[in-house]
Amino acid sequence: QVQLVESGGGLVQAGGSLRLSCAASGRTFSSYAMAWFRQGPGKEREFVSAISRSGDVTYYQGSVKGRFTISRDNAKNTVYLQMNALKPEDTAVYYCAGRYTPYSGAYYYTRTQYVYWGQGTQVTVSS
């Protein structure tokens, strides 16, 4: 079992920045592909960004590309999401997700491909 705990959410003005963190339990974090999803008010949970277990490969949803950066530190069992130039439409609960993969360069971008989920952290961007 892997437990994921997000932190770093909060209230920020449009144009501001936040960095989310997701700390994972267990000794096999480096074998897990990771991702961030978000769910805005009245919306479906949507993919934001993914990273391979090696950290060498990343993938972004179009609306956040160039503004958000996903990264990971396998020594600290943590994945990050640096969010810059935030917009009111980025307001959502942000979830960390993970799954085992035997492929170092693999990433996944659909909800059903992930097994482990955090509890979420609220990000609110005011205009």
Side-chain angles (χ1 to χ4, degrees):
Q1 283 288 342
V2 174
Q3 290 187 320
L4 304 174
V5 179
E6 302 97 334
S7 61
L11 173 63
V12 64
Q13 289 188 332
S17 298
L18 282 175
R19 188 174 85 152
L20 305 183
S21 299
C22 172
S25 65
R27 295 177 290 178
T28 57
F29 179 71
S30 60
S31 297
Y32 284 75
M34 302 296 295
W36 289 94
F37 288 75
R38 67 186 181 186
Q39 187 165 13
K43 298 181 180 180
E44 296 284 326
R45 192 173 300 188
E46 65 174 0
F47 169 78
V48 176
S49 182
I51 189 166
S52 64
R53 71 180 205 184
S54 64
D56 292 343
V57 182
T58 58
Y59 183 67
Y60 298 91
Q61 181 210 100
S63 69
V64 307
K65 197 170 185 179
R67 300 188 297 123
F68 291 10
T69 302
I70 191 170
S71 62
R72 66 189 294 160
D73 186 337
N74 286 345
K76 295 183 178 180
N77 281 15
T78 302
V79 63
Y80 304 97
L81 185 69
Q82 177 66 44
M83 305 186 295
N84 298 328
L86 282 161
K87 304 176 181 179
E89 51 263 44
D90 294 319
T91 294
V93 177
Y94 283 71
Y95 297 91
C96 175
R99 60 158 287 161
Y100 169 77
T101 178
Y103 309 110
S104 64
Y107 62 88
Y108 307 87
Y109 52 87
T110 62
R111 289 175 56 184
T112 56
Q113 292 175 305
Y114 285 91
V115 176
Y116 302 105
W117 291 85
Q119 82 290 348
T121 186
Q122 177 71 46
V123 171
T124 302
V125 184
S126 64
S127 57

